Amino acid sequence: MTKDVITLTPDMPSVDTILAGLFAGGPDLGVSTVAQGPVVQLCAPDGHPLVSIEAPQLVHVPGEAGRLLGSHAPLLQGPFWWTEARATTAVPEAARLAGSFAGRVASVLGGAVWPPEAAHTDVVPLTTDTTALPAPDTTSAPALDIVTDQAVVVMQDRPFVAMTTWLTEAVRTAAETDRAFQLLTPPHTRLTLP
């Protein structure tokens, strides 16, 4: 399962801003790309993915953040940039790393973070021994929470789930590997186009 943290900013996060956010774990963590480039991952020294960051998307529709994130969504006027970070729950520090990444990007660009309690700018040291974890599947989409021989599963705990790059890549992975695609949500969640 993953933990999502979303940064909403009035300006597009530059490469320098993304890099500043990626230093949330200090200089010992690595960076890689997956999903043919639009996703950057913050990785443990042994290569285990900790946080996956999707390329920022420009949102033009007024009220879209509130519609997709519910009543606790940050209110931004005009178009804004939506940047998602997904933290693995296999490593306890990963959710705080995602929150630090989001907090740093929002601090630099004057944006907001959802959920708001996730945002901070602390350096999060990695204390978990990731070498004891199963080897990561670097060929699958970063949004996949569970992969079996028969299915791929994505878990989302949001008011609305949009067909983002994450989900498109997960569906593509399921189709290419002849597996069923399953999306697990709470009963109140609705599906929507971005």
Side-chain angles (χ1 to χ4, degrees):
M1 187 166 171
T2 56
K3 168 78 174 145
D4 296 353
V5 182
I6 300 167
T7 309
L8 306 173
T9 56
D11 297 315
M12 180 179 177
S14 66
V15 172
D16 291 343
T17 305
I18 297 291
L19 285 173
L22 289 171
F23 271 101
D28 296 332
L29 300 183
V31 175
S32 67
T33 59
V34 292
Q36 301 169 0
V39 177
V40 175
Q41 288 185 320
L42 187 59
C43 301
D46 67 351
H48 274 82
L50 303 170
V51 179
S52 299
I53 297 114
E54 185 174 10
Q57 297 179 30
L58 181 60
V59 178
H60 289 280
V61 180
E64 190 71 350
R67 185 178 76 85
L68 292 174
L69 301 176
S71 60
H72 300 292
L75 299 175
L76 294 175
Q77 299 299 320
F80 60 89
W81 290 88
W82 176 292
T83 307
E84 287 196 29
R86 299 195 88 208
T88 179
T89 54
V91 178
E93 298 89 359
R96 286 203 26 86
L97 283 167
S100 181
F101 166 82
R104 289 162 181 251
V105 171
S107 292
V108 170
L109 297 176
V113 175
W114 180 91
E117 65 274 7
H120 65 93
T121 57
D122 301 338
V123 173
V124 180
L126 183 62
T127 58
T128 300
D129 180 11
T130 56
T131 60
L133 299 173
D137 178 4
T138 57
T139 62
S140 44
L144 301 180
D145 294 303
I146 300 171
V147 179
T148 70
D149 291 339
Q150 292 82 28
V152 297
V153 180
V154 175
M155 299 178 200
Q156 291 280 281
D157 186 11
R158 295 184 186 178
F160 285 86
V161 175
M163 190 63 172
T164 61
T165 305
W166 301 114
L167 286 183
T168 304
E169 190 67 19
V171 170
R172 183 190 64 77
T173 299
E176 286 180 352
T177 59
D178 198 29
R179 292 181 170 107
F181 172 78
Q182 298 175 356
L183 179 61
L184 179 64
T185 68
H188 66 272
T189 298
R190 294 185 2 199
L191 302 178
T192 182
L193 291 173

